[in-house]
Amino acid sequence: MDIKYLKGVGPKNAEYLRSLGIYTIEDIFYYFPRDYEDRANTKKIRDLKDGEIVTLIAEVALINGTRKTQTGKNLTSIVFKDDTGFITGIWFNQPYIKKTFKVGEKVLLYGKVNRRFAELQMVDPKYEKNFDNNDENSVGILPIYPLNKYLSQKTLRNIIKNALINKRELLKEILPKRILDEFNLVDIQTAIDNIHFPKNKDMLNKSIYRLKFEELFLIQLGLQYYKKSINSDLSAYNIPLSGRLKELKEKLPFELTNAQSRTIREILLDMKKNKPMNRLVQGDVGSGKTVIAAIAMFNCAEAGYQAAMLAPTEILAEQHFSSITSLLKDFDLNIALITGSTTKKQKEKILTDLANGEIDIIIGTHALLQENVEFKNLALVVTDEQHRFGVRQRATLVSKGHNPHVLVMTATPIPRTLALFMYGDMDISIINELPKGRQKVDTYFVRSTMRERVYNFIKKEVMEGRQAYIVCPLVEESEKIEAISAEEAYDFLVNNTFNGNDKIVAVLHGKMSNEEKDFIMQKFKEGAIKVLVSTTVVEVGVNVPNATVMVVENAERFGLAQLHQLRGRVGRGSLKSYCILISDATNKEAIDRLTIMTKTNDGFVISEKDMELRGTGELFGMRQHGLPDLKIADIFKDIEILKTTRDLARRLIEDNMLEKDEFEPLRIKIESMFKEKIDITTFN
Ligand code: ADP
Ligand code: MG
């Protein structure tokens, strides 16, 4: 029901409320306080202690004038009393205060007590006049709402109170009684009453719990409900362990890390089951995910089935093709590559061979998703660098097989709780270990006055046979003034640093055609180009182990996760590597971010910090996944509730409980919540 139908809300207030995102009366019930002031325990002046925060009921005893302090401020003081003593309220630079009180008037004061010598004081206390002892609007635990300049706390409190009194029938219980009972939850009306105007601390806590529970439960239930609707009774390819796995392992150019071995074990076991694998592999940049994909695809091919790997860019697809071909070279498998630049003739052959089963493993870009691509028996789909893909694209590939196993690999470190939340029922493997011998990338944060020295350092590394990246952010024309462009960086390098040698420096920018980009990347990989200046983010995942320097210009323009990805382009071999962040940022948040980069190389730590700085929601595209915003729960702090609700949701879905009458309101709720928004293929 539109908020304007609430009594006492005129057109002005309705407009102000909309500016807070409140459109309906239902919205207002769910507009939760960000904090509370505990005014529940009023005290007598005699009992006040230095430093405590209290509520008092007192009478105005004396209104002193305003005087100037030594530091030039206006100080207004007013003396209050109760039947046990006196206390002085002090306000700075608010001379009008003295006009708001009348001697003899009763007021409610709230604030921190200071004892100065014999005198008790409260500096800038909050006050309320005309209060009524029984009015919980004044005495009690008071809500503090997130507001903008248009509405006052008092106005919003009154509007909400009014809604709670006059429109409470709009608050309908959606949780069935048996759930309320089992988890000891207060009913919805009690919860909403008390989240706004708590009777006491205990009721407040119970209400918070109930609302967090509901919020997380609805999401988990929605995820599981839709997952089941697409995934029920799936029988999958049952892929046995190949007898040649051991041989493959012995032929690898390196020894697998423990984390890699564990992940591979988990994958192979999944593929042996009758149910399609649905696994997310998270491993920091450079943790060695490619070999894991190679082994999984190898095992699939050995059983006579086909495997496909989807990469977000041509460069990456080619790189995977060449590393995987090389890792599996001794095993006479037919491995193919398909991208946008595959010629028509090659493509025709590939399509035929795929359809009749000649090709065992195919690696490709979006070209793999085209309609005319058909498989004989696609049993495993691997997608790399998942955050670059829409979930729909992954689903398209999956639909080319009959319930193939799915492996998703991502280098975006997501804290486990977030992954649990976002991926609902996906199993997760974490590669929390880098291959031996990797050196930590030394990271520096410098000002642009150091640029020449930084470029000279690049020159020194190039002289020693190494390579370097310089990444410049893409800038809008209008912002050009402060940001260095790739062209400028290129000119400076060629003309000053490398004394006119323009053969070894190249620019890569977004406007180039794919062929041009590939050509330059290829030259960089071969080592002909020593310094690559890039306007776009260097392709996620490129592997040039000889590159030892990553310079990021105007580094403040990048998020932490992005900087971490960029840094991951160096330090991929055993050579000592460096990441230099150039920035003249002056704002604290940017400086904090860049400083964090210099302190840790751990992607998980970085993503947690990123969340602290930026908040959870925006970060990993939760919205893109179609998940609603969290209003009250916090997936880090409320991990226990998250688990409880996840288990409960799973149980209810397994038992088909949502079909029952008592669950109908709940089912309607999740259907409306997730309507069109949820991309159910998240799970496939
Ligand atoms: P990412 O997880 O970022 O995709 P890659 O699979 O590209 O990482 O691996 C990064 C580099 O580490 C590659 O050069 C790869 O050959 C190498 N590598 C992978 N696993 C190991 C290992 N266990 N020991 C040594 N080097 C490894
Ligand atoms: Mg990779």
Side-chain angles (χ1 to χ4, degrees), residues 254-257 260 283-291 319-320 384-385 411 435-436 438 541 543 545 569 572:
F254 41 72
E255 200 176 319
L256 294 172
T257 62
Q260 282 172 318
D284 211 342
V285 277
S287 61
K289 292 184 290 297
T290 316
V291 66
Q319 183 179 287
H320 284 322
D384 187 23
E385 312 296 352
K436 281 196 204 71
R438 283 293 161 74
N543 193 31
R569 299 308 110 216
R572 296 179 78 82

PDB file of all heavy atoms in Angstrom, residues 254-257 260 283-291 319-320 384-385 411 435-436 438 541 543 545 569 572, ligand 1:
ATOM      1  N   PHE A 254      56.019 -30.397 -12.900  1.00  0.00           N
ATOM      2  CA  PHE A 254      56.216 -29.984 -11.500  1.00  0.00           C
ATOM      3  C   PHE A 254      55.435 -30.925 -10.598  1.00  0.00           C
ATOM      4  O   PHE A 254      54.594 -31.700 -11.060  1.00  0.00           O
ATOM      5  CB  PHE A 254      55.733 -28.548 -11.270  1.00  0.00           C
ATOM      6  CG  PHE A 254      54.441 -28.222 -11.980  1.00  0.00           C
ATOM      7  CD1 PHE A 254      53.238 -28.766 -11.533  1.00  0.00           C
ATOM      8  CD2 PHE A 254      54.424 -27.405 -13.109  1.00  0.00           C
ATOM      9  CE1 PHE A 254      52.047 -28.483 -12.189  1.00  0.00           C
ATOM     10  CE2 PHE A 254      53.229 -27.118 -13.767  1.00  0.00           C
ATOM     11  CZ  PHE A 254      52.045 -27.664 -13.309  1.00  0.00           C
ATOM     12  N   GLU A 255      55.740 -30.824  -9.319  1.00  0.00           N
ATOM     13  CA  GLU A 255      54.993 -31.616  -8.355  1.00  0.00           C
ATOM     14  C   GLU A 255      53.781 -30.806  -7.913  1.00  0.00           C
ATOM     15  O   GLU A 255      53.897 -29.606  -7.654  1.00  0.00           O
ATOM     16  CB  GLU A 255      55.896 -31.904  -7.161  1.00  0.00           C
ATOM     17  CG  GLU A 255      55.434 -33.059  -6.341  1.00  0.00           C
ATOM     18  CD  GLU A 255      56.440 -33.347  -5.227  1.00  0.00           C
ATOM     19  OE1 GLU A 255      57.657 -33.292  -5.500  1.00  0.00           O
ATOM     20  OE2 GLU A 255      55.990 -33.584  -4.099  1.00  0.00           O
ATOM     21  N   LEU A 256      52.640 -31.441  -7.841  1.00  0.00           N
ATOM     22  CA  LEU A 256      51.440 -30.719  -7.424  1.00  0.00           C
ATOM     23  C   LEU A 256      51.556 -30.278  -5.970  1.00  0.00           C
ATOM     24  O   LEU A 256      52.142 -30.985  -5.146  1.00  0.00           O
ATOM     25  CB  LEU A 256      50.206 -31.604  -7.587  1.00  0.00           C
ATOM     26  CG  LEU A 256      49.836 -31.977  -9.020  1.00  0.00           C
ATOM     27  CD1 LEU A 256      48.720 -33.023  -9.029  1.00  0.00           C
ATOM     28  CD2 LEU A 256      49.424 -30.742  -9.810  1.00  0.00           C
ATOM     29  N   THR A 257      50.994 -29.139  -5.665  1.00  0.00           N
ATOM     30  CA  THR A 257      50.939 -28.735  -4.261  1.00  0.00           C
ATOM     31  C   THR A 257      49.875 -29.590  -3.558  1.00  0.00           C
ATOM     32  O   THR A 257      49.019 -30.184  -4.212  1.00  0.00           O
ATOM     33  CB  THR A 257      50.536 -27.255  -4.110  1.00  0.00           C
ATOM     34  OG1 THR A 257      49.220 -27.089  -4.657  1.00  0.00           O
ATOM     35  CG2 THR A 257      51.496 -26.332  -4.829  1.00  0.00           C
ATOM     36  N   GLN A 260      46.460 -28.462  -4.515  1.00  0.00           N
ATOM     37  CA  GLN A 260      46.070 -28.909  -5.860  1.00  0.00           C
ATOM     38  C   GLN A 260      45.651 -30.383  -5.830  1.00  0.00           C
ATOM     39  O   GLN A 260      44.627 -30.752  -6.401  1.00  0.00           O
ATOM     40  CB  GLN A 260      47.235 -28.740  -6.851  1.00  0.00           C
ATOM     41  CG  GLN A 260      47.435 -27.309  -7.340  1.00  0.00           C
ATOM     42  CD  GLN A 260      48.715 -27.154  -8.157  1.00  0.00           C
ATOM     43  OE1 GLN A 260      49.766 -27.705  -7.798  1.00  0.00           O
ATOM     44  NE2 GLN A 260      48.638 -26.408  -9.248  1.00  0.00           N
ATOM     45  N   GLY A 283      41.011 -20.270  -6.396  1.00  0.00           N
ATOM     46  CA  GLY A 283      42.435 -20.276  -6.098  1.00  0.00           C
ATOM     47  C   GLY A 283      42.990 -18.941  -6.489  1.00  0.00           C
ATOM     48  O   GLY A 283      42.668 -18.404  -7.545  1.00  0.00           O
ATOM     49  N   ASP A 284      43.797 -18.414  -5.642  1.00  0.00           N
ATOM     50  CA  ASP A 284      44.377 -17.111  -5.884  1.00  0.00           C
ATOM     51  C   ASP A 284      45.136 -17.126  -7.216  1.00  0.00           C
ATOM     52  O   ASP A 284      45.468 -18.188  -7.730  1.00  0.00           O
ATOM     53  CB  ASP A 284      45.351 -16.798  -4.739  1.00  0.00           C
ATOM     54  CG  ASP A 284      45.410 -15.307  -4.467  1.00  0.00           C
ATOM     55  OD1 ASP A 284      44.996 -14.543  -5.354  1.00  0.00           O
ATOM     56  OD2 ASP A 284      45.867 -14.924  -3.385  1.00  0.00           O
ATOM     57  N   VAL A 285      45.401 -15.959  -7.754  1.00  0.00           N
ATOM     58  CA  VAL A 285      46.168 -15.883  -8.994  1.00  0.00           C
ATOM     59  C   VAL A 285      47.490 -16.625  -8.845  1.00  0.00           C
ATOM     60  O   VAL A 285      48.164 -16.500  -7.836  1.00  0.00           O
ATOM     61  CB  VAL A 285      46.463 -14.417  -9.401  1.00  0.00           C
ATOM     62  CG1 VAL A 285      45.282 -13.834 -10.129  1.00  0.00           C
ATOM     63  CG2 VAL A 285      46.814 -13.586  -8.192  1.00  0.00           C
ATOM     64  N   GLY A 286      47.807 -17.425  -9.820  1.00  0.00           N
ATOM     65  CA  GLY A 286      49.066 -18.148  -9.801  1.00  0.00           C
ATOM     66  C   GLY A 286      49.056 -19.417  -8.976  1.00  0.00           C
ATOM     67  O   GLY A 286      50.082 -20.087  -8.815  1.00  0.00           O
ATOM     68  N   SER A 287      47.912 -19.792  -8.437  1.00  0.00           N
ATOM     69  CA  SER A 287      47.880 -20.973  -7.575  1.00  0.00           C
ATOM     70  C   SER A 287      47.880 -22.261  -8.408  1.00  0.00           C
ATOM     71  O   SER A 287      47.990 -23.349  -7.860  1.00  0.00           O
ATOM     72  CB  SER A 287      46.665 -20.925  -6.653  1.00  0.00           C
ATOM     73  OG  SER A 287      45.481 -20.918  -7.410  1.00  0.00           O
ATOM     74  N   GLY A 288      47.744 -22.157  -9.705  1.00  0.00           N
ATOM     75  CA  GLY A 288      47.842 -23.341 -10.563  1.00  0.00           C
ATOM     76  C   GLY A 288      46.508 -24.023 -10.809  1.00  0.00           C
ATOM     77  O   GLY A 288      46.338 -25.215 -10.542  1.00  0.00           O
ATOM     78  N   LYS A 289      45.569 -23.289 -11.355  1.00  0.00           N
ATOM     79  CA  LYS A 289      44.256 -23.872 -11.619  1.00  0.00           C
ATOM     80  C   LYS A 289      44.216 -24.597 -12.967  1.00  0.00           C
ATOM     81  O   LYS A 289      43.447 -25.531 -13.146  1.00  0.00           O
ATOM     82  CB  LYS A 289      43.178 -22.776 -11.587  1.00  0.00           C
ATOM     83  CG  LYS A 289      42.981 -22.199 -10.192  1.00  0.00           C
ATOM     84  CD  LYS A 289      41.860 -21.186 -10.146  1.00  0.00           C
ATOM     85  CE  LYS A 289      42.166 -19.894 -10.854  1.00  0.00           C
ATOM     86  NZ  LYS A 289      43.283 -19.122 -10.279  1.00  0.00           N
ATOM     87  N   THR A 290      45.057 -24.167 -13.899  1.00  0.00           N
ATOM     88  CA  THR A 290      45.000 -24.747 -15.241  1.00  0.00           C
ATOM     89  C   THR A 290      45.261 -26.251 -15.216  1.00  0.00           C
ATOM     90  O   THR A 290      44.560 -27.028 -15.864  1.00  0.00           O
ATOM     91  CB  THR A 290      46.028 -24.048 -16.154  1.00  0.00           C
ATOM     92  OG1 THR A 290      45.955 -22.656 -15.918  1.00  0.00           O
ATOM     93  CG2 THR A 290      45.754 -24.347 -17.609  1.00  0.00           C
ATOM     94  N   VAL A 291      46.249 -26.641 -14.458  1.00  0.00           N
ATOM     95  CA  VAL A 291      46.599 -28.063 -14.420  1.00  0.00           C
ATOM     96  C   VAL A 291      45.446 -28.880 -13.838  1.00  0.00           C
ATOM     97  O   VAL A 291      45.212 -30.030 -14.212  1.00  0.00           O
ATOM     98  CB  VAL A 291      47.926 -28.287 -13.653  1.00  0.00           C
ATOM     99  CG1 VAL A 291      47.796 -27.935 -12.189  1.00  0.00           C
ATOM    100  CG2 VAL A 291      48.405 -29.722 -13.831  1.00  0.00           C
ATOM    101  N   GLN A 319      46.080 -19.492 -24.615  1.00  0.00           N
ATOM    102  CA  GLN A 319      47.041 -19.855 -23.581  1.00  0.00           C
ATOM    103  C   GLN A 319      46.677 -21.191 -22.930  1.00  0.00           C
ATOM    104  O   GLN A 319      47.533 -22.049 -22.731  1.00  0.00           O
ATOM    105  CB  GLN A 319      47.058 -18.750 -22.542  1.00  0.00           C
ATOM    106  CG  GLN A 319      48.050 -18.945 -21.445  1.00  0.00           C
ATOM    107  CD  GLN A 319      47.988 -17.776 -20.492  1.00  0.00           C
ATOM    108  OE1 GLN A 319      48.435 -16.676 -20.801  1.00  0.00           O
ATOM    109  NE2 GLN A 319      47.388 -17.996 -19.338  1.00  0.00           N
ATOM    110  N   HIS A 320      45.409 -21.368 -22.624  1.00  0.00           N
ATOM    111  CA  HIS A 320      44.983 -22.640 -22.048  1.00  0.00           C
ATOM    112  C   HIS A 320      45.217 -23.773 -23.024  1.00  0.00           C
ATOM    113  O   HIS A 320      45.662 -24.851 -22.652  1.00  0.00           O
ATOM    114  CB  HIS A 320      43.492 -22.608 -21.697  1.00  0.00           C
ATOM    115  CG  HIS A 320      43.197 -21.826 -20.456  1.00  0.00           C
ATOM    116  ND1 HIS A 320      44.014 -21.834 -19.360  1.00  0.00           N
ATOM    117  CD2 HIS A 320      42.168 -21.010 -20.148  1.00  0.00           C
ATOM    118  CE1 HIS A 320      43.497 -21.052 -18.427  1.00  0.00           C
ATOM    119  NE2 HIS A 320      42.372 -20.535 -18.890  1.00  0.00           N
ATOM    120  N   ASP A 384      36.547 -20.913 -16.900  1.00  0.00           N
ATOM    121  CA  ASP A 384      37.656 -20.283 -16.204  1.00  0.00           C
ATOM    122  C   ASP A 384      37.326 -18.821 -15.963  1.00  0.00           C
ATOM    123  O   ASP A 384      36.696 -18.178 -16.788  1.00  0.00           O
ATOM    124  CB  ASP A 384      38.934 -20.395 -17.042  1.00  0.00           C
ATOM    125  CG  ASP A 384      40.141 -19.908 -16.267  1.00  0.00           C
ATOM    126  OD1 ASP A 384      40.089 -19.909 -15.019  1.00  0.00           O
ATOM    127  OD2 ASP A 384      41.139 -19.525 -16.898  1.00  0.00           O
ATOM    128  N   GLU A 385      37.828 -18.308 -14.855  1.00  0.00           N
ATOM    129  CA  GLU A 385      37.661 -16.891 -14.522  1.00  0.00           C
ATOM    130  C   GLU A 385      36.192 -16.539 -14.608  1.00  0.00           C
ATOM    131  O   GLU A 385      35.763 -15.679 -15.346  1.00  0.00           O
ATOM    132  CB  GLU A 385      38.491 -16.016 -15.474  1.00  0.00           C
ATOM    133  CG  GLU A 385      39.914 -16.457 -15.658  1.00  0.00           C
ATOM    134  CD  GLU A 385      40.740 -16.370 -14.380  1.00  0.00           C
ATOM    135  OE1 GLU A 385      40.257 -15.818 -13.371  1.00  0.00           O
ATOM    136  OE2 GLU A 385      41.863 -16.876 -14.389  1.00  0.00           O
ATOM    137  N   ALA A 411      39.434 -16.825  -9.829  1.00  0.00           N
ATOM    138  CA  ALA A 411      40.592 -16.293  -9.121  1.00  0.00           C
ATOM    139  C   ALA A 411      40.171 -15.173  -8.188  1.00  0.00           C
ATOM    140  O   ALA A 411      40.976 -14.609  -7.487  1.00  0.00           O
ATOM    141  CB  ALA A 411      41.622 -15.767 -10.118  1.00  0.00           C
ATOM    142  N   PRO A 435      52.414 -22.673  -5.446  1.00  0.00           N
ATOM    143  CA  PRO A 435      53.503 -23.607  -5.718  1.00  0.00           C
ATOM    144  C   PRO A 435      54.784 -23.174  -5.006  1.00  0.00           C
ATOM    145  O   PRO A 435      55.005 -21.984  -4.787  1.00  0.00           O
ATOM    146  CB  PRO A 435      53.666 -23.510  -7.238  1.00  0.00           C
ATOM    147  CG  PRO A 435      52.336 -23.108  -7.746  1.00  0.00           C
ATOM    148  CD  PRO A 435      51.764 -22.211  -6.687  1.00  0.00           C
ATOM    149  N   LYS A 436      55.576 -24.153  -4.665  1.00  0.00           N
ATOM    150  CA  LYS A 436      56.832 -23.871  -3.954  1.00  0.00           C
ATOM    151  C   LYS A 436      57.753 -22.989  -4.787  1.00  0.00           C
ATOM    152  O   LYS A 436      57.723 -23.011  -6.005  1.00  0.00           O
ATOM    153  CB  LYS A 436      57.577 -25.189  -3.690  1.00  0.00           C
ATOM    154  CG  LYS A 436      57.030 -25.949  -2.519  1.00  0.00           C
ATOM    155  CD  LYS A 436      58.042 -27.014  -2.081  1.00  0.00           C
ATOM    156  CE  LYS A 436      57.355 -28.141  -1.343  1.00  0.00           C
ATOM    157  NZ  LYS A 436      56.539 -28.989  -2.218  1.00  0.00           N
ATOM    158  N   ARG A 438      57.751 -19.864  -5.090  1.00  0.00           N
ATOM    159  CA  ARG A 438      57.239 -18.552  -5.487  1.00  0.00           C
ATOM    160  C   ARG A 438      57.748 -17.531  -4.512  1.00  0.00           C
ATOM    161  O   ARG A 438      57.704 -17.731  -3.305  1.00  0.00           O
ATOM    162  CB  ARG A 438      55.715 -18.528  -5.422  1.00  0.00           C
ATOM    163  CG  ARG A 438      54.992 -19.185  -6.523  1.00  0.00           C
ATOM    164  CD  ARG A 438      55.157 -18.483  -7.839  1.00  0.00           C
ATOM    165  NE  ARG A 438      54.816 -19.424  -8.903  1.00  0.00           N
ATOM    166  CZ  ARG A 438      53.576 -19.782  -9.171  1.00  0.00           C
ATOM    167  NH1 ARG A 438      52.596 -19.255  -8.495  1.00  0.00           N
ATOM    168  NH2 ARG A 438      53.345 -20.652 -10.120  1.00  0.00           N
ATOM    169  N   GLY A 541      44.571 -13.363 -16.191  1.00  0.00           N
ATOM    170  CA  GLY A 541      45.085 -14.722 -16.328  1.00  0.00           C
ATOM    171  C   GLY A 541      46.239 -14.920 -17.289  1.00  0.00           C
ATOM    172  O   GLY A 541      46.724 -16.025 -17.428  1.00  0.00           O
ATOM    173  N   ASN A 543      49.779 -15.468 -18.705  1.00  0.00           N
ATOM    174  CA  ASN A 543      50.894 -16.076 -18.012  1.00  0.00           C
ATOM    175  C   ASN A 543      52.185 -15.806 -18.773  1.00  0.00           C
ATOM    176  O   ASN A 543      52.477 -16.451 -19.765  1.00  0.00           O
ATOM    177  CB  ASN A 543      50.627 -17.590 -17.915  1.00  0.00           C
ATOM    178  CG  ASN A 543      51.573 -18.267 -16.941  1.00  0.00           C
ATOM    179  OD1 ASN A 543      52.005 -17.651 -15.959  1.00  0.00           O
ATOM    180  ND2 ASN A 543      51.913 -19.513 -17.218  1.00  0.00           N
ATOM    181  N   PRO A 545      55.759 -15.700 -17.411  1.00  0.00           N
ATOM    182  CA  PRO A 545      56.574 -15.813 -16.201  1.00  0.00           C
ATOM    183  C   PRO A 545      57.829 -14.938 -16.214  1.00  0.00           C
ATOM    184  O   PRO A 545      58.377 -14.642 -15.165  1.00  0.00           O
ATOM    185  CB  PRO A 545      56.970 -17.298 -16.174  1.00  0.00           C
ATOM    186  CG  PRO A 545      55.978 -17.984 -17.042  1.00  0.00           C
ATOM    187  CD  PRO A 545      55.579 -16.994 -18.084  1.00  0.00           C
ATOM    188  N   ARG A 569      49.855 -10.773 -12.332  1.00  0.00           N
ATOM    189  CA  ARG A 569      50.497 -11.000 -13.637  1.00  0.00           C
ATOM    190  C   ARG A 569      51.998 -11.158 -13.491  1.00  0.00           C
ATOM    191  O   ARG A 569      52.657 -11.633 -14.405  1.00  0.00           O
ATOM    192  CB  ARG A 569      50.228  -9.837 -14.613  1.00  0.00           C
ATOM    193  CG  ARG A 569      48.789  -9.560 -14.961  1.00  0.00           C
ATOM    194  CD  ARG A 569      48.081 -10.791 -15.437  1.00  0.00           C
ATOM    195  NE  ARG A 569      47.121 -11.183 -14.432  1.00  0.00           N
ATOM    196  CZ  ARG A 569      46.826 -12.437 -14.129  1.00  0.00           C
ATOM    197  NH1 ARG A 569      47.455 -13.435 -14.719  1.00  0.00           N
ATOM    198  NH2 ARG A 569      45.934 -12.709 -13.207  1.00  0.00           N
ATOM    199  N   ARG A 572      55.053 -14.944 -11.426  1.00  0.00           N
ATOM    200  CA  ARG A 572      54.491 -16.227 -11.845  1.00  0.00           C
ATOM    201  C   ARG A 572      55.565 -17.267 -12.075  1.00  0.00           C
ATOM    202  O   ARG A 572      55.249 -18.417 -12.364  1.00  0.00           O
ATOM    203  CB  ARG A 572      53.638 -16.033 -13.102  1.00  0.00           C
ATOM    204  CG  ARG A 572      52.447 -15.141 -12.822  1.00  0.00           C
ATOM    205  CD  ARG A 572      51.610 -14.903 -14.038  1.00  0.00           C
ATOM    206  NE  ARG A 572      50.733 -16.028 -14.363  1.00  0.00           N
ATOM    207  CZ  ARG A 572      49.562 -16.266 -13.796  1.00  0.00           C
ATOM    208  NH1 ARG A 572      49.122 -15.477 -12.837  1.00  0.00           N
ATOM    209  NH2 ARG A 572      48.821 -17.282 -14.172  1.00  0.00           N
TER     210      ARG A 572
HETATM  211  P1  ADP B   1      46.158 -19.681 -12.150  1.00  0.00           P
HETATM  212  O1  ADP B   1      45.656 -20.368 -10.925  1.00  0.00           O
HETATM  213  O2  ADP B   1      46.390 -18.214 -11.915  1.00  0.00           O
HETATM  214  O3  ADP B   1      45.327 -19.959 -13.360  1.00  0.00           O
HETATM  215  P2  ADP B   1      48.159 -21.103 -13.635  1.00  0.00           P
HETATM  216  O4  ADP B   1      47.447 -22.363 -13.775  1.00  0.00           O
HETATM  217  O5  ADP B   1      48.235 -20.194 -14.814  1.00  0.00           O
HETATM  218  O6  ADP B   1      47.606 -20.293 -12.401  1.00  0.00           O
HETATM  219  O7  ADP B   1      49.608 -21.418 -13.087  1.00  0.00           O
HETATM  220  C1  ADP B   1      50.551 -20.395 -12.874  1.00  0.00           C
HETATM  221  C2  ADP B   1      51.939 -20.910 -13.142  1.00  0.00           C
HETATM  222  O8  ADP B   1      52.313 -21.853 -12.137  1.00  0.00           O
HETATM  223  C3  ADP B   1      52.061 -21.655 -14.460  1.00  0.00           C
HETATM  224  O9  ADP B   1      53.269 -21.271 -15.077  1.00  0.00           O
HETATM  225  C4  ADP B   1      52.061 -23.110 -14.059  1.00  0.00           C
HETATM  226  O10 ADP B   1      52.790 -23.903 -14.964  1.00  0.00           O
HETATM  227  C5  ADP B   1      52.759 -23.065 -12.711  1.00  0.00           C
HETATM  228  N1  ADP B   1      52.381 -24.125 -11.768  1.00  0.00           N
HETATM  229  C6  ADP B   1      51.161 -24.631 -11.545  1.00  0.00           C
HETATM  230  N2  ADP B   1      51.186 -25.567 -10.575  1.00  0.00           N
HETATM  231  C7  ADP B   1      52.467 -25.650 -10.152  1.00  0.00           C
HETATM  232  C8  ADP B   1      53.152 -26.440  -9.159  1.00  0.00           C
HETATM  233  N3  ADP B   1      52.497 -27.314  -8.418  1.00  0.00           N
HETATM  234  N4  ADP B   1      54.468 -26.241  -9.017  1.00  0.00           N
HETATM  235  C9  ADP B   1      55.131 -25.326  -9.768  1.00  0.00           C
HETATM  236  N5  ADP B   1      54.562 -24.571 -10.716  1.00  0.00           N
HETATM  237  C10 ADP B   1      53.237 -24.717 -10.914  1.00  0.00           C
END
